[in-house]
């Protein structure tokens, strides 16, 4: 009886561009259709008949792997921190997707503001749990308005005076008149594994080892 292929979930966007060379070093090369910008497919074969890729939103990578629909995935530590799935094991820091989760506010507010004096904040964010935990640890009450995008509009339109969002170069903040005032956490992308699959699918452990070696080769 032929076993179903191992499914590796990868995120759309910038992280994927950085992950593809690591995948290749680990011996996984997606089929040509994966790079076709006109393709609407979400599942792809690879050079290995025992491994398929699915390409989904970053937040959904963790969900697919946690529930066993995919056995492995690549996702940022921000997503792991936000959802804290007990079913996930994150054995390898891939050393890609470097960015940070930060608090930002309009430049004119920041000119006279001191975060050390905050007792209550209202922020727009895609990360309400991480945000609340961060501020609770400081004794600050955080009121979070959940948004999935266009965070930078929130202060301009009066939805919330501050935002918590991912920052890489800071260009998007600058173009929208915002500045960072506090960093919540540094972020990198991790290889994640479904805990049950790690124990029951013998092919998973060698794959984890292949990714670990690929990271070590890049760092060497």
């Amino acid at each position: 009886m032929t076993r179903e292929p191992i499914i590796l979930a990868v995120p759309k966007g910038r992280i994927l561009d950085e992950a593809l060379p690591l995948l290749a070093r680990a011996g996984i090369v997606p089929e040509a259709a994966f790079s076709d910008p006109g393709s609407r497919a979400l599942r792809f074969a690879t050079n290995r008949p025992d491994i398929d890729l699915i390409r989904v939103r970053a937040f959904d990578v963790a969900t697919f792997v946690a529930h066993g629909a995919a056995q492995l995935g690549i996702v940022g530590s921000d997503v792991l921190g936000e959802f804290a799935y007990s079913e996930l094991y994150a054995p390898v820091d891939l050393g890609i997707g470097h960015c940070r989760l930060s608090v930002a506010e309009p430049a004119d507010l920041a000119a006279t503001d001191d975060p050390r004096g905050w007792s209550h904040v209202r922020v727009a964010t895609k990360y309400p749990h991480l945000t609340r935990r961060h501020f609770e640890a400081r004794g600050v009450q955080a009121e979070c308005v959940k948004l999935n995008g266009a965070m930078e509009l929130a202060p301009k339109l009066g939805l919330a005076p501050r935002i918590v969002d991912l920052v890489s170069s800071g260009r998007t903040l600058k173009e929208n008149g915002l500045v960072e005032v506090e960093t919540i956490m540094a972020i990198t992308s991790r290889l994640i594994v479904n805990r049950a699959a790690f124990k029951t699918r013998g092919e998973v452990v060698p794959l984890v080892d292949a990714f670990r070696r690929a990271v070590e080769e890049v760092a060497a």
Side-chain angles (χ1 to χ4, degrees), residues 33-159:
F34 187 83
S35 300
D36 178 3
S39 174
R40 298 295 182 92
L42 297 174
R43 181 170 177 169
F44 302 88
T46 71
N47 60 317
R48 292 185 48 169
D50 60 332
I51 300 174
D52 282 357
L53 298 181
I54 60 171
R55 182 167 55 197
V56 297
R57 294 180 184 274
F59 274 45
D60 293 336
V61 169
T63 302
F64 273 97
V65 178
H67 291 278
Q71 288 71 49
L72 299 97
I74 293 174
V75 75
S77 52
D78 55 315
V79 176
L80 296 179
E82 181 66 16
F83 291 101
Y85 284 115
S86 61
E87 302 91 347
L88 294 180
Y89 171 44
V92 185
D93 185 337
L94 298 175
I96 60 174
H98 288 274
C99 58
R100 55 199 178 274
L101 187 66
S102 293
V103 185
E105 63 187 15
D108 55 351
L109 175 59
T112 58
D113 196 17
D114 184 354
R116 293 172 297 181
W118 295 347
S119 60
H120 173 274
V121 292
R122 178 179 170 89
V123 297
T125 185
K126 188 164 61 172
Y127 302 93
H129 295 103
L130 278 173
T131 299
R132 288 193 188 98
R133 286 203 298 270
H134 169 76
F135 283 114
E136 282 172 3
R138 286 185 43 201
V140 178
Q141 182 183 358
E143 180 185 353
C144 297
V145 179
K146 180 73 160 60
L147 286 180
N148 290 316
M151 227 69 61
E152 296 80 11
L153 287 174
K156 290 183 178 181
L157 300 181
L159 185 61

